[in-house]
mmCIF file of all heavy atoms in Angstrom:
data_model
loop_
_atom_site.group_PDB
_atom_site.id
_atom_site.type_symbol
_atom_site.label_atom_id
_atom_site.label_comp_id
_atom_site.label_asym_id
_atom_site.label_seq_id
_atom_site.Cartn_x
_atom_site.Cartn_y
_atom_site.Cartn_z
ATOM 1 N N ALA A 1 48.308 -67.715 -196.301
ATOM 2 C CA ALA A 1 48.091 -66.361 -195.779
ATOM 3 C C ALA A 1 49.227 -65.436 -196.217
ATOM 4 O O ALA A 1 48.998 -64.290 -196.630
ATOM 5 C CB ALA A 1 47.990 -66.383 -194.256
ATOM 6 N N ALA A 2 50.476 -65.928 -196.150
ATOM 7 C CA ALA A 2 51.636 -65.079 -196.472
ATOM 8 C C ALA A 2 51.605 -64.656 -197.943
ATOM 9 O O ALA A 2 51.870 -63.496 -198.276
ATOM 10 C CB ALA A 2 52.936 -65.815 -196.147
ATOM 11 N N MET A 3 51.269 -65.578 -198.854
ATOM 12 C CA MET A 3 51.217 -65.239 -200.281
ATOM 13 C C MET A 3 50.039 -64.315 -200.572
ATOM 14 O O MET A 3 50.167 -63.350 -201.336
ATOM 15 C CB MET A 3 51.125 -66.503 -201.143
ATOM 16 C CG MET A 3 52.410 -67.307 -201.211
ATOM 17 S SD MET A 3 53.881 -66.411 -201.757
ATOM 18 C CE MET A 3 53.399 -65.828 -203.402
ATOM 19 N N ALA A 4 48.894 -64.610 -199.960
ATOM 20 C CA ALA A 4 47.710 -63.772 -200.192
ATOM 21 C C ALA A 4 47.974 -62.343 -199.714
ATOM 22 O O ALA A 4 47.725 -61.367 -200.432
ATOM 23 C CB ALA A 4 46.503 -64.366 -199.483
ATOM 24 N N THR A 5 48.516 -62.214 -198.501
ATOM 25 C CA THR A 5 48.793 -60.887 -197.931
ATOM 26 C C THR A 5 49.809 -60.134 -198.791
ATOM 27 O O THR A 5 49.657 -58.951 -199.082
ATOM 28 C CB THR A 5 49.313 -61.033 -196.481
ATOM 29 O OG1 THR A 5 48.371 -61.790 -195.744
ATOM 30 C CG2 THR A 5 49.554 -59.689 -195.829
ATOM 31 N N GLY A 6 50.868 -60.847 -199.216
ATOM 32 C CA GLY A 6 51.927 -60.220 -200.019
ATOM 33 C C GLY A 6 51.400 -59.717 -201.358
ATOM 34 O O GLY A 6 51.679 -58.577 -201.769
ATOM 35 N N LEU A 7 50.614 -60.561 -202.046
ATOM 36 C CA LEU A 7 50.075 -60.144 -203.348
ATOM 37 C C LEU A 7 49.102 -58.968 -203.187
ATOM 38 O O LEU A 7 49.069 -58.051 -204.011
ATOM 39 C CB LEU A 7 49.402 -61.323 -204.063
ATOM 40 C CG LEU A 7 50.380 -62.399 -204.587
ATOM 41 C CD1 LEU A 7 49.608 -63.608 -205.108
ATOM 42 C CD2 LEU A 7 51.298 -61.863 -205.681
ATOM 43 N N ARG A 8 48.319 -58.994 -202.100
ATOM 44 C CA ARG A 8 47.408 -57.853 -201.856
ATOM 45 C C ARG A 8 48.203 -56.571 -201.646
ATOM 46 O O ARG A 8 47.819 -55.511 -202.140
ATOM 47 C CB ARG A 8 46.527 -58.130 -200.624
ATOM 48 C CG ARG A 8 45.437 -59.144 -200.855
ATOM 49 C CD ARG A 8 44.543 -59.259 -199.621
ATOM 50 N NE ARG A 8 43.778 -60.495 -199.673
ATOM 51 C CZ ARG A 8 43.856 -61.470 -198.744
ATOM 52 N NH1 ARG A 8 44.656 -61.361 -197.697
ATOM 53 N NH2 ARG A 8 43.133 -62.567 -198.880
ATOM 54 N N SER A 9 49.324 -56.679 -200.947
ATOM 55 C CA SER A 9 50.096 -55.458 -200.680
ATOM 56 C C SER A 9 50.698 -54.891 -201.974
ATOM 57 O O SER A 9 51.061 -53.722 -202.024
ATOM 58 C CB SER A 9 51.181 -55.705 -199.622
ATOM 59 O OG SER A 9 52.199 -56.526 -200.148
ATOM 60 N N LEU A 10 50.797 -55.726 -203.050
ATOM 61 C CA LEU A 10 51.262 -55.226 -204.354
ATOM 62 C C LEU A 10 50.087 -54.811 -205.238
ATOM 63 O O LEU A 10 50.268 -54.502 -206.423
ATOM 64 C CB LEU A 10 52.118 -56.279 -205.060
ATOM 65 C CG LEU A 10 53.371 -56.767 -204.304
ATOM 66 C CD1 LEU A 10 54.166 -57.755 -205.151
ATOM 67 C CD2 LEU A 10 54.257 -55.625 -203.850
ATOM 68 N N GLY A 11 48.849 -54.878 -204.669
ATOM 69 C CA GLY A 11 47.694 -54.329 -205.381
ATOM 70 C C GLY A 11 46.751 -55.337 -205.991
ATOM 71 O O GLY A 11 45.823 -54.963 -206.725
ATOM 72 N N LEU A 12 46.957 -56.659 -205.728
ATOM 73 C CA LEU A 12 46.095 -57.665 -206.341
ATOM 74 C C LEU A 12 44.983 -58.094 -205.385
ATOM 75 O O LEU A 12 45.080 -57.939 -204.172
ATOM 76 C CB LEU A 12 46.909 -58.912 -206.727
ATOM 77 C CG LEU A 12 47.994 -58.723 -207.789
ATOM 78 C CD1 LEU A 12 48.496 -60.095 -208.253
ATOM 79 C CD2 LEU A 12 47.494 -57.929 -208.983
ATOM 80 N N ARG A 13 43.934 -58.670 -205.976
ATOM 81 C CA ARG A 13 42.845 -59.242 -205.172
ATOM 82 C C ARG A 13 43.082 -60.753 -205.031
ATOM 83 O O ARG A 13 43.267 -61.464 -206.023
ATOM 84 C CB ARG A 13 41.499 -58.967 -205.860
ATOM 85 C CG ARG A 13 40.318 -59.504 -205.081
ATOM 86 C CD ARG A 13 39.011 -59.187 -205.771
ATOM 87 N NE ARG A 13 38.054 -60.250 -205.515
ATOM 88 C CZ ARG A 13 37.076 -60.588 -206.361
ATOM 89 N NH1 ARG A 13 36.931 -59.923 -207.505
ATOM 90 N NH2 ARG A 13 36.246 -61.580 -206.054
ATOM 91 N N VAL A 14 43.090 -61.226 -203.798
ATOM 92 C CA VAL A 14 43.213 -62.663 -203.534
ATOM 93 C C VAL A 14 42.130 -63.039 -202.518
ATOM 94 O O VAL A 14 42.062 -62.460 -201.437
ATOM 95 C CB VAL A 14 44.608 -63.026 -202.955
ATOM 96 C CG1 VAL A 14 44.715 -64.529 -202.743
ATOM 97 C CG2 VAL A 14 45.722 -62.543 -203.870
ATOM 98 N N ASP A 15 41.294 -63.988 -202.888
ATOM 99 C CA ASP A 15 40.237 -64.460 -201.978
ATOM 100 C C ASP A 15 40.712 -65.753 -201.324
ATOM 101 O O ASP A 15 40.882 -66.777 -202.011
ATOM 102 C CB ASP A 15 38.930 -64.724 -202.748
ATOM 103 C CG ASP A 15 38.473 -63.488 -203.529
ATOM 104 O OD1 ASP A 15 38.697 -62.375 -203.034
ATOM 105 O OD2 ASP A 15 37.919 -63.644 -204.646
ATOM 106 N N GLU A 16 40.943 -65.711 -200.021
ATOM 107 C CA GLU A 16 41.408 -66.899 -199.311
ATOM 108 C C GLU A 16 40.254 -67.804 -198.906
ATOM 109 O O GLU A 16 39.170 -67.321 -198.553
ATOM 110 C CB GLU A 16 42.138 -66.476 -198.026
ATOM 111 C CG GLU A 16 43.606 -66.419 -198.111
ATOM 112 C CD GLU A 16 44.241 -66.106 -196.766
ATOM 113 O OE1 GLU A 16 44.393 -64.925 -196.445
ATOM 114 O OE2 GLU A 16 44.604 -67.049 -196.065
ATOM 115 N N THR A 17 40.489 -69.113 -198.892
ATOM 116 C CA THR A 17 39.573 -70.096 -198.304
ATOM 117 C C THR A 17 40.378 -70.922 -197.302
ATOM 118 O O THR A 17 41.608 -70.822 -197.268
ATOM 119 C CB THR A 17 39.003 -71.030 -199.400
ATOM 120 O OG1 THR A 17 40.119 -71.747 -199.982
ATOM 121 C CG2 THR A 17 38.255 -70.261 -200.472
ATOM 122 N N PRO A 18 39.723 -71.738 -196.464
ATOM 123 C CA PRO A 18 40.494 -72.543 -195.506
ATOM 124 C C PRO A 18 41.554 -73.426 -196.178
ATOM 125 O O PRO A 18 42.640 -73.651 -195.617
ATOM 126 C CB PRO A 18 39.433 -73.390 -194.798
ATOM 127 C CG PRO A 18 38.173 -72.586 -194.919
ATOM 128 C CD PRO A 18 38.259 -71.890 -196.241
ATOM 129 N N ASP A 19 41.265 -73.939 -197.400
ATOM 130 C CA ASP A 19 42.219 -74.860 -198.026
ATOM 131 C C ASP A 19 42.736 -74.360 -199.372
ATOM 132 O O ASP A 19 43.192 -75.141 -200.206
ATOM 133 C CB ASP A 19 41.590 -76.244 -198.212
ATOM 134 C CG ASP A 19 40.496 -76.268 -199.270
ATOM 135 O OD1 ASP A 19 39.945 -75.178 -199.606
ATOM 136 O OD2 ASP A 19 40.192 -77.370 -199.800
ATOM 137 N N GLY A 20 42.702 -73.041 -199.600
ATOM 138 C CA GLY A 20 43.202 -72.553 -200.885
ATOM 139 C C GLY A 20 42.941 -71.071 -201.070
ATOM 140 O O GLY A 20 42.843 -70.310 -200.093
ATOM 141 N N ALA A 21 42.806 -70.680 -202.341
ATOM 142 C CA ALA A 21 42.614 -69.258 -202.649
ATOM 143 C C ALA A 21 42.232 -69.123 -204.117
ATOM 144 O O ALA A 21 42.497 -70.013 -204.929
ATOM 145 C CB ALA A 21 43.913 -68.473 -202.394
ATOM 146 N N THR A 22 41.626 -67.976 -204.434
ATOM 147 C CA THR A 22 41.453 -67.569 -205.833
ATOM 148 C C THR A 22 42.321 -66.326 -206.042
ATOM 149 O O THR A 22 42.177 -65.342 -205.317
ATOM 150 C CB THR A 22 39.979 -67.254 -206.153
ATOM 151 O OG1 THR A 22 39.200 -68.439 -205.903
ATOM 152 C CG2 THR A 22 39.799 -66.835 -207.601
ATOM 153 N N ILE A 23 43.209 -66.404 -207.014
ATOM 154 C CA ILE A 23 44.125 -65.278 -207.305
ATOM 155 C C ILE A 23 43.595 -64.555 -208.540
ATOM 156 O O ILE A 23 43.443 -65.171 -209.611
ATOM 157 C CB ILE A 23 45.562 -65.791 -207.575
ATOM 158 C CG1 ILE A 23 46.079 -66.557 -206.343
ATOM 159 C CG2 ILE A 23 46.510 -64.628 -207.868
ATOM 160 C CD1 ILE A 23 46.126 -68.047 -206.549
ATOM 161 N N HIS A 24 43.298 -63.252 -208.394
ATOM 162 C CA HIS A 24 42.824 -62.444 -209.518
ATOM 163 C C HIS A 24 44.008 -61.624 -210.041
ATOM 164 O O HIS A 24 44.526 -60.751 -209.331
ATOM 165 C CB HIS A 24 41.691 -61.502 -209.065
ATOM 166 C CG HIS A 24 40.504 -62.237 -208.521
ATOM 167 N ND1 HIS A 24 39.459 -62.651 -209.299
ATOM 168 C CD2 HIS A 24 40.218 -62.650 -207.245
ATOM 169 C CE1 HIS A 24 38.579 -63.297 -208.541
ATOM 170 N NE2 HIS A 24 39.002 -63.315 -207.302
ATOM 171 N N PRO A 25 44.471 -61.894 -211.250
ATOM 172 C CA PRO A 25 45.672 -61.201 -211.737
ATOM 173 C C PRO A 25 45.400 -59.724 -212.001
ATOM 174 O O PRO A 25 44.247 -59.282 -212.071
ATOM 175 C CB PRO A 25 46.008 -61.941 -213.029
ATOM 176 C CG PRO A 25 44.718 -62.564 -213.455
ATOM 177 C CD PRO A 25 43.926 -62.845 -212.225
ATOM 178 N N GLY A 26 46.481 -59.001 -212.157
ATOM 179 C CA GLY A 26 46.375 -57.565 -212.453
ATOM 180 C C GLY A 26 47.760 -56.952 -212.422
ATOM 181 O O GLY A 26 48.776 -57.655 -212.260
ATOM 182 N N ALA A 27 47.807 -55.638 -212.607
ATOM 183 C CA ALA A 27 49.095 -54.935 -212.565
ATOM 184 C C ALA A 27 49.589 -54.897 -211.119
ATOM 185 O O ALA A 27 48.827 -54.583 -210.202
ATOM 186 C CB ALA A 27 48.924 -53.516 -213.098
ATOM 187 N N MET A 28 50.867 -55.230 -210.915
ATOM 188 C CA MET A 28 51.444 -55.204 -209.572
ATOM 189 C C MET A 28 52.272 -53.934 -209.389
ATOM 190 O O MET A 28 53.049 -53.557 -210.280
ATOM 191 C CB MET A 28 52.336 -56.432 -209.342
ATOM 192 C CG MET A 28 51.551 -57.707 -209.150
ATOM 193 S SD MET A 28 52.575 -59.133 -208.679
ATOM 194 C CE MET A 28 53.331 -59.528 -210.275
ATOM 195 N N GLY A 29 52.078 -53.283 -208.245
ATOM 196 C CA GLY A 29 52.887 -52.115 -207.914
ATOM 197 C C GLY A 29 54.021 -52.501 -206.977
ATOM 198 O O GLY A 29 54.281 -53.686 -206.725
ATOM 199 N N GLY A 30 54.732 -51.496 -206.463
ATOM 200 C CA GLY A 30 55.782 -51.750 -205.472
ATOM 201 C C GLY A 30 55.153 -51.957 -204.095
ATOM 202 O O GLY A 30 53.942 -51.869 -203.907
ATOM 203 N N GLY A 31 55.997 -52.278 -203.138
ATOM 204 C CA GLY A 31 55.498 -52.451 -201.767
ATOM 205 C C GLY A 31 56.532 -53.165 -200.918
ATOM 206 O O GLY A 31 57.662 -53.441 -201.352
ATOM 207 N N CYS A 32 56.121 -53.461 -199.690
ATOM 208 C CA CYS A 32 57.007 -54.133 -198.746
ATOM 209 C C CYS A 32 56.391 -55.481 -198.385
ATOM 210 O O CYS A 32 55.214 -55.556 -198.030
ATOM 211 C CB CYS A 32 57.173 -53.260 -197.486
ATOM 212 S SG CYS A 32 58.390 -53.970 -196.338
ATOM 213 N N ILE A 33 57.176 -56.537 -198.466
ATOM 214 C CA ILE A 33 56.705 -57.909 -198.260
ATOM 215 C C ILE A 33 57.334 -58.484 -196.994
ATOM 216 O O ILE A 33 58.555 -58.450 -196.830
ATOM 217 C CB ILE A 33 57.080 -58.807 -199.463
ATOM 218 C CG1 ILE A 33 56.482 -58.265 -200.749
ATOM 219 C CG2 ILE A 33 56.665 -60.256 -199.203
ATOM 220 C CD1 ILE A 33 54.994 -58.279 -200.831
ATOM 221 N N GLN A 34 56.502 -59.045 -196.155
ATOM 222 C CA GLN A 34 56.997 -59.787 -194.987
ATOM 223 C C GLN A 34 57.114 -61.257 -195.380
ATOM 224 O O GLN A 34 56.100 -61.893 -195.691
ATOM 225 C CB GLN A 34 56.039 -59.627 -193.794
ATOM 226 C CG GLN A 34 55.836 -58.189 -193.323
ATOM 227 C CD GLN A 34 57.141 -57.548 -192.873
ATOM 228 O OE1 GLN A 34 58.046 -58.232 -192.387
ATOM 229 N NE2 GLN A 34 57.251 -56.244 -193.046
ATOM 230 N N SER A 35 58.320 -61.782 -195.365
ATOM 231 C CA SER A 35 58.467 -63.193 -195.756
ATOM 232 C C SER A 35 58.244 -64.126 -194.573
ATOM 233 O O SER A 35 58.197 -65.351 -194.758
ATOM 234 C CB SER A 35 59.850 -63.440 -196.350
ATOM 235 O OG SER A 35 60.817 -63.433 -195.322
ATOM 236 N N HIS A 36 58.147 -63.596 -193.364
ATOM 237 C CA HIS A 36 57.958 -64.406 -192.139
ATOM 238 C C HIS A 36 59.074 -65.433 -191.967
ATOM 239 O O HIS A 36 58.865 -66.541 -191.444
ATOM 240 C CB HIS A 36 56.579 -65.109 -192.155
ATOM 241 C CG HIS A 36 55.430 -64.151 -192.330
ATOM 242 N ND1 HIS A 36 54.956 -63.371 -191.296
ATOM 243 C CD2 HIS A 36 54.726 -63.794 -193.428
ATOM 244 C CE1 HIS A 36 53.985 -62.604 -191.750
ATOM 245 N NE2 HIS A 36 53.825 -62.834 -193.032
ATOM 246 N N GLY A 37 60.273 -65.067 -192.477
ATOM 247 C CA GLY A 37 61.406 -65.984 -192.343
ATOM 248 C C GLY A 37 61.287 -67.230 -193.189
ATOM 249 O O GLY A 37 62.022 -68.199 -192.994
ATOM 250 N N ASP A 38 60.343 -67.234 -194.160
ATOM 251 C CA ASP A 38 60.090 -68.426 -194.976
ATOM 252 C C ASP A 38 60.821 -68.252 -196.314
ATOM 253 O O ASP A 38 60.514 -67.360 -197.099
ATOM 254 C CB ASP A 38 58.584 -68.576 -195.205
ATOM 255 C CG ASP A 38 58.224 -69.864 -195.935
ATOM 256 O OD1 ASP A 38 58.997 -70.321 -196.800
ATOM 257 O OD2 ASP A 38 57.143 -70.417 -195.645
ATOM 258 N N HIS A 39 61.784 -69.146 -196.572
ATOM 259 C CA HIS A 39 62.645 -69.022 -197.759
ATOM 260 C C HIS A 39 61.846 -68.998 -199.059
ATOM 261 O O HIS A 39 62.152 -68.242 -199.984
ATOM 262 C CB HIS A 39 63.696 -70.138 -197.787
ATOM 263 C CG HIS A 39 63.141 -71.532 -197.586
ATOM 264 N ND1 HIS A 39 63.443 -72.583 -198.367
ATOM 265 C CD2 HIS A 39 62.305 -72.066 -196.685
ATOM 266 C CE1 HIS A 39 62.830 -73.679 -197.951
ATOM 267 N NE2 HIS A 39 62.122 -73.392 -196.966
ATOM 268 N N ARG A 40 60.791 -69.807 -199.132
ATOM 269 C CA ARG A 40 60.057 -69.890 -200.407
ATOM 270 C C ARG A 40 59.188 -68.647 -200.636
ATOM 271 O O ARG A 40 58.987 -68.247 -201.770
ATOM 272 C CB ARG A 40 59.222 -71.175 -200.453
ATOM 273 C CG ARG A 40 60.087 -72.433 -200.354
ATOM 274 C CD ARG A 40 59.424 -73.665 -200.888
ATOM 275 N NE ARG A 40 60.049 -74.865 -200.380
ATOM 276 C CZ ARG A 40 61.170 -75.409 -200.847
ATOM 277 N NH1 ARG A 40 61.800 -74.848 -201.848
ATOM 278 N NH2 ARG A 40 61.674 -76.520 -200.316
ATOM 279 N N ILE A 41 58.691 -68.050 -199.582
ATOM 280 C CA ILE A 41 57.930 -66.794 -199.734
ATOM 281 C C ILE A 41 58.877 -65.686 -200.233
ATOM 282 O O ILE A 41 58.544 -64.933 -201.148
ATOM 283 C CB ILE A 41 57.275 -66.365 -198.390
ATOM 284 C CG1 ILE A 41 56.331 -67.452 -197.865
ATOM 285 C CG2 ILE A 41 56.579 -65.008 -198.502
ATOM 286 C CD1 ILE A 41 55.090 -67.664 -198.627
ATOM 287 N N ALA A 42 60.062 -65.612 -199.648
ATOM 288 C CA ALA A 42 61.042 -64.582 -200.031
ATOM 289 C C ALA A 42 61.382 -64.709 -201.522
ATOM 290 O O ALA A 42 61.351 -63.724 -202.275
ATOM 291 C CB ALA A 42 62.307 -64.705 -199.181
ATOM 292 N N MET A 43 61.693 -65.937 -201.967
ATOM 293 C CA MET A 43 62.083 -66.122 -203.373
ATOM 294 C C MET A 43 60.907 -65.853 -204.320
ATOM 295 O O MET A 43 61.078 -65.292 -205.396
ATOM 296 C CB MET A 43 62.656 -67.527 -203.577
ATOM 297 C CG MET A 43 64.031 -67.684 -202.949
ATOM 298 S SD MET A 43 64.823 -69.292 -203.281
ATOM 299 C CE MET A 43 64.000 -70.350 -202.079
#
């Protein structure tokens, strides 16, 4: 959820499923990311 939400906030389409996701690439813009205190999301 954290990666899907973060990538969407930079302008990408991500379709989540219960056990995964489909990531549709594209140009990324700026934005604000919530890492939820998770070191790997932040990096």
Side-chain angles (χ1 to χ4, degrees):
M3 288 305 301
T5 305
L7 289 172
R8 286 185 198 120
S9 70
L10 302 183
L12 296 192
R13 181 179 148 209
V14 182
D15 304 326
E16 262 185 272
T17 62
D19 70 340
T22 300
I23 301 107
H24 300 270
M28 286 187 284
C32 185
I33 301 295
Q34 300 300 330
S35 74
H36 304 282
D38 185 326
H39 50 132
R40 299 201 200 279
I41 301 290
M43 288 185 280

